[in-house]
Amino acid sequence: MPKVGAHVSASVSLELAFQRAKQINADCFQIFISPPQQWLKTRHPEDEVSAFLKAQKESGISPNFIHGTYLINLGTQNKEHLKKSIDWLIYALNLAKDLEMQGVIFHLGSHKGVGFEAIKEQVIKSLGLILKEVRGDGERGAPSSARSAVRTSDGAADRQDPKRFKQPQLILETSAGAGGNLGGNFRELGEILKQVDNPRLKICLDTQHVFASGYDVKSVLGLKDVLEEFEQEIGLENLAVIHANDSKVEYRSNRDRHENIGEGFIGKEGFSNLINHPKLKDIPFILEVPGFAGNGPDLENVQLLKSLVDK
Ligand SMILES: [Zn+2]
């Protein structure tokens, strides 16, 4: 059975995310590490990082993810904006490594009308640069852990437990494909992955976004085709995580509008097909739904999705 997690708040102190996840029965989570509409690089002191690592180990809540700021745009024509985007992603990926999280999920941004081909090289070069700047442990050219932003864990424990993440992934999220937004189709994402050629570059499939951009993840036959196309263009081994959101808007509407599980156009039947698909059984499902009380992912949505798993 796939893990079902949710976007939770990490405000005040990062380790509080574990309590908040526990309250809604989430098996894993995604957090913001600084306000999502700003370029702020919040500094998280060493004791906060240690508290997070301790809670992660004790709770078993894992794998966890950082969601990037919404300002990132690797397709921008503005050099300063591009530099800010790259710098922020390096900051986030370093923190993901220190926190032993699986990686950083983010939206590539928009080509603003100039077309994918025109900005493709820039996107590929930027991603390559970020992954080179923040290497996984044991990768060629990786800095010794003494030079890592925060020194925390003991190497011996890492070697014993391969599940502990010291190979932070940069995870591109699929988009709803609205006006110039990058990531709206598997072919472009696949091309980016092939060109960057780094095993730590992965994909986050958002069920609402792909549905809106014309991938039918709702029906059994539709989902079969979607996963076949994903396999062909990107490779299922590169699917790191699923954002499980129902859709407030219709198929092919190209709009990014999340809905609670079962309340939207994908519906309970669609999510039952998704969560029981054998090819997705090892992929974490993370909810980014509005919540039944309007306060974001809640216990009700988590339980609903878990209840759709075939017994
Ligand atoms: Zn999403």
Side-chain angles (χ1 to χ4, degrees):
M1 163 177 172
K3 290 193 173 189
V4 175
H7 186 102
V8 295
S9 163
S11 65
V12 185
S13 195
L14 292 172
E15 79 280 8
L16 295 176
F18 291 93
Q19 290 175 27
R20 293 164 181 150
K22 226 176 273 174
Q23 279 162 7
I24 59 168
N25 200 20
D27 305 324
C28 51
F29 63 73
Q30 163 186 295
I31 53 171
F32 291 129
I33 48 172
S34 52
Q37 309 286 3
Q38 297 175 31
W39 287 117
L40 212 63
K41 295 180 194 158
T42 307
R43 270 188 52 83
H44 297 281
E46 201 166 327
D47 56 346
E48 191 181 355
V49 171
S50 329
F52 184 97
L53 290 170
K54 187 165 173 272
Q56 188 161 244
K57 207 173 166 186
E58 287 172 3
S59 66
I61 294 177
S62 162
N64 301 315
F65 302 85
I66 288 169
H67 194 292
T69 152
Y70 294 122
L71 300 176
I72 294 165
N73 187 359
L74 296 184
T76 179
Q77 307 285 294
N78 179 324
K79 291 273 170 278
E80 200 192 331
H81 192 159
L82 180 64
K83 189 180 180 303
K84 277 186 175 166
S85 302
I86 293 172
D87 286 350
W88 196 93
L89 284 166
I90 290 171
Y91 149 75
L93 203 57
N94 265 315
L95 189 60
K97 185 176 175 182
D98 288 336
L99 296 173
E100 299 177 10
M101 296 172 92
Q102 186 166 334
V104 179
I105 302 169
F106 72 103
H107 303 258
L108 278 168
S110 163
H111 60 62
K112 303 231 166 98
V114 301
F116 175 66
E117 292 300 320
I119 51 84
K120 193 172 80 180
E121 285 311 314
Q122 174 180 304
V123 170
I124 290 163
K125 263 172 84 176
S126 305
L127 293 168
L129 184 89
I130 297 159
L131 287 161
K132 208 172 138 190
E133 201 60 42
V134 188
R135 300 194 196 241
D137 271 6
E139 239 175 64
R140 267 181 73 166
S144 69
S145 55
R147 276 183 54 213
S148 158
V150 183
R151 214 179 149 186
T152 45
S153 64
D154 47 307
D158 283 345
R159 281 190 295 277
Q160 281 162 10
D161 184 359
K163 283 200 201 101
R164 291 179 73 182
F165 295 101
K166 290 300 244 177
Q167 306 289 333
Q169 299 172 354
L170 203 48
I171 306 170
L172 316 179
E173 177 163 353
T174 54
S175 80
N181 272 352
L182 298 163
N185 75 69
F186 295 169
R187 188 184 45 78
E188 287 176 5
L189 287 168
E191 194 175 340
I192 292 171
L193 257 66
K194 264 172 223 116
Q195 297 290 331
V196 176
D197 192 24
N198 186 310
R200 288 189 292 118
L201 186 63
K202 301 286 184 195
I203 300 294
C204 166
L205 186 148
D206 187 306
T207 56
Q208 194 277 321
H209 300 169
V210 296
F211 185 70
S213 72
Y215 293 95
D216 172 19
V217 290
K218 178 192 172 112
S219 70
V220 174
L221 288 177
L223 182 59
K224 180 175 176 284
D225 286 350
V226 171
L227 293 180
E228 271 172 21
E229 189 173 337
F230 193 100
E231 173 66 43
Q232 201 177 345
E233 299 288 354
I234 299 172
L236 276 165
E237 71 282 9
N238 292 315
L239 176 59
V241 51
I242 289 178
H243 275 169
N245 301 308
D246 210 331
S247 183
K248 221 180 223 50
V249 289
E250 285 177 62
Y251 179 57
R252 283 206 173 114
S253 62
N254 288 121
R255 287 193 297 150
D256 181 344
R257 299 287 303 279
H258 300 185
E259 180 55 284
N260 293 317
I261 301 298
E263 302 276 294
F265 285 93
I266 299 176
K268 278 187 194 165
E269 201 186 317
F271 280 98
S272 167
N273 293 334
L274 280 156
I275 202 138
N276 291 301
H277 199 289
K279 285 186 176 162
L280 304 180
K281 68 173 174 24
D282 297 323
I283 312 290
F285 280 57
I286 304 249
L287 296 162
E288 294 174 311
V289 293
F292 288 99
N295 300 320
D298 48 17
L299 179 65
E300 209 174 333
N301 271 284
V302 171
Q303 294 305 80
L304 194 54
L305 188 52
K306 287 186 176 181
S307 75
L308 298 175
V309 175
D310 288 341
K311 297 275 150 35

